[in-house]
Amino acid sequence: MGPGGNSAARVQAFREHFEADGAQAALITDVANMRYLTGFDHVFDPMIAGAVLISPVYQRFYTDTRYIEAAQAAAKDTSWEVRLQRESLYAGVCDDLTAEGVETIAMESSVPHARFVFISDRFSGRVVVSDQWVERLRAVKDAGELDACARAAALTDAAFDHVLGILRPGLREIDVSLALEVFMRTNGSEGLAFDPIVASGPNSSRPHAGVTMREIEVGDILTMDFGARVDGYCADMTRTVIVGAAATDEQRRIYEAVLAANLAGLAAVRTGVRARDVDAAARDLLAGMRLGEYFGHSLGHGVGLFIHEEPRVSSTSEDILRTGSVITIEPGVYLEGRLGVRIEDLVAVEEGGARILSRSPKDLIEIV
Ligand code: ZN
Ligand code: ZN
């Protein structure tokens, strides 16, 4: 069964949520949420116009002529009804709801403001905002989803191995970024999980540096943060290497500290622990080495159909880790204008601890 195979169970779990809240139907328009609930493959892209409408008795997917053929093929032999909307998609949905006598619908809290206003005006009944119901279901992956995440992580590992073979001084950041992208896409990645970050030398102190034309110099530190996407599911991994020379004492000291924090974070992961305690395990270790002030971002985040999703792994998170969540552990130390190191792994949460999906080596690699 593919990652979308559990659509019926997801819709049933979702129905219980919105019915408890007094809504007679739920209108879902977020692309990842629609993909999750329908389980449709080869239908959704970031540009898609579509709407999922779920009532206690039906489940519908509305779309336009650009997607109708793919949607009908995906819906074959399922309980999904596909409706073609030639004019305004949301107006059509609202008119159907009004005609059916629906008085209250629920929408996602993440819905864009203009869309919310349009639907509130057009629909004759009441609109209530749901509190991340679909996102909470998405936070716990089933076997098909976990398998897709693992395959995305394996392809990401393979891309790292490939790029290690070509890295040398003189190559530009953009060349490395494109090499990662071409490798992943020609080996089955469905687009990318996100635009790769390739930050060399002083650029590495910016955690989310944009890729530049800068040429990698002898002795540069190089941080690469990237991920493939397989069957809709993202991977996310960061590795930091030294190019053209052996590491300096400072580079090695920072690297070993970040690696220790990464391992401490991984060791704290298991079902039932507070996500903030996992963050603290890594953060406290860096603080003990007087590097705490150089680790500004949160330790990690959930990953799935979207690159950043629930649960949050930060010092303020209220989330408890659950079996089947997929999260990152990504401590970093950034010395402004000089160097940065981040080491990030993708892991699945299990009773006994973290099942590490990122298998690329983490001992400091010096490419000479
Ligand atoms: Zn990342
Ligand atoms: Zn990440």
Side-chain angles (χ1 to χ4, degrees):
M1 193 188 284
N6 270 341
S7 167
R10 293 171 192 170
V11 168
Q12 203 42 48
F14 176 63
R15 276 188 176 123
E16 283 161 25
H17 277 292
F18 78 77
E19 285 175 39
D21 215 53
Q24 294 157 291
L27 176 58
I28 301 298
T29 61
D30 173 82
V31 174
N33 285 345
M34 289 195 291
R35 182 167 186 163
Y36 178 78
L37 288 171
T38 61
F40 293 170
D41 245 344
H42 309 297
V43 174
F44 297 99
D45 64 49
M47 300 298 293
I48 190 170
V52 161
L53 188 61
I54 296 179
S55 85
V57 292
Y58 62 71
Q59 53 204 66
R60 283 186 204 142
F61 178 61
Y62 292 78
T63 191
D64 61 34
T65 55
R66 295 170 298 169
Y67 300 95
I68 191 69
E69 188 179 337
Q72 281 168 340
K76 198 165 177 295
D77 301 326
T78 73
S79 306
W80 286 92
E81 174 196 343
V82 174
R83 288 202 175 180
L84 172 64
Q85 216 59 51
R86 288 188 185 275
E87 311 270 319
S88 163
L89 189 91
Y90 302 121
V93 173
C94 290
D95 295 350
D96 282 356
L97 285 165
T98 302
E100 287 161 12
V102 173
E103 288 168 358
T104 305
I105 61 165
M107 289 190 72
E108 300 141 305
S109 52
S110 61
V111 66
H113 183 69
R115 189 180 301 162
F116 182 81
V117 168
F118 177 87
I119 291 168
S120 299
D121 286 350
R122 180 90 182 202
F123 173 54
S124 59
R126 201 163 66 92
V127 180
V128 297
V129 172
S130 73
D131 186 23
Q132 302 229 301
W133 294 323
V134 189
E135 286 81 354
R136 270 192 218 138
L137 293 174
R138 279 168 47 194
V140 173
K141 274 76 179 165
D142 60 36
E145 296 180 284
L146 288 168
D147 180 60
C149 291
R151 285 181 287 131
L155 182 49
T156 305
D157 285 332
F160 179 65
D161 188 56
H162 165 73
V163 109
L164 283 181
I166 61 170
L167 279 180
R168 55 176 169 73
L171 221 54
R172 299 168 305 169
E173 291 175 0
I174 186 69
D175 300 321
V176 178
S177 176
L178 287 171
L180 288 166
E181 176 166 358
V182 168
F183 183 91
M184 289 189 284
R185 297 195 66 175
T186 52
N187 285 282
S189 186
E190 174 192 306
L192 296 175
F194 55 96
D195 287 337
I197 294 165
V198 177
S200 63
N203 292 348
S204 62
S205 70
R206 302 172 184 186
H208 273 204
V211 173
T212 75
M213 302 291 181
R214 184 181 183 278
E215 286 185 8
I216 298 167
E217 295 176 9
V218 171
D220 268 356
I221 208 156
L222 184 72
T223 299
M224 293 166 284
D225 187 348
F226 57 101
R229 183 191 289 264
V230 172
D231 288 343
Y233 286 78
C234 299
D236 188 4
M237 180 176 82
T238 308
R239 287 294 183 267
T240 302
V241 302
I242 310 293
V243 184
T248 65
D249 288 348
E250 182 183 52
Q251 286 170 337
R252 181 170 290 280
R253 182 175 70 86
I254 302 295
Y255 189 92
E256 296 298 343
V258 173
L259 179 56
N262 168 275
L263 296 175
L266 291 173
V269 171
R270 69 180 176 282
T271 303
V273 303
R274 298 193 304 174
R276 64 168 64 186
D277 292 341
V278 177
D279 181 280
R283 199 169 300 281
D284 292 352
L285 188 134
L286 288 173
M289 298 180 189
R290 297 184 195 194
L291 291 169
E293 66 180 289
Y294 306 107
F295 174 34
H297 55 74
S298 55
L299 183 65
H301 53 87
V303 179
L305 287 168
F306 193 57
I307 185 62
H308 288 155
E309 53 178 66
E310 294 196 25
R312 297 174 58 228
V313 186
S314 72
S315 60
T316 57
S317 175
E318 300 287 340
D319 295 328
I320 305 286
L321 295 188
R322 290 184 284 168
T323 300
S325 280
V326 173
I327 61 173
T328 66
I329 297 296
E330 50 179 307
V333 166
Y334 310 94
L335 308 180
E336 189 178 336
R338 281 176 37 223
L339 68 97
V341 173
R342 181 166 64 258
I343 303 172
E344 174 181 29
D345 290 318
L346 190 69
V347 310
V349 178
E350 294 186 347
E351 291 274 347
R355 179 161 62 93
I356 301 172
L357 305 178
S358 303
R359 310 303 286 266
S360 294
K362 290 193 282 192
D363 287 334
L364 181 54
I365 295 173
E366 299 156 310
I367 298 165
V368 287

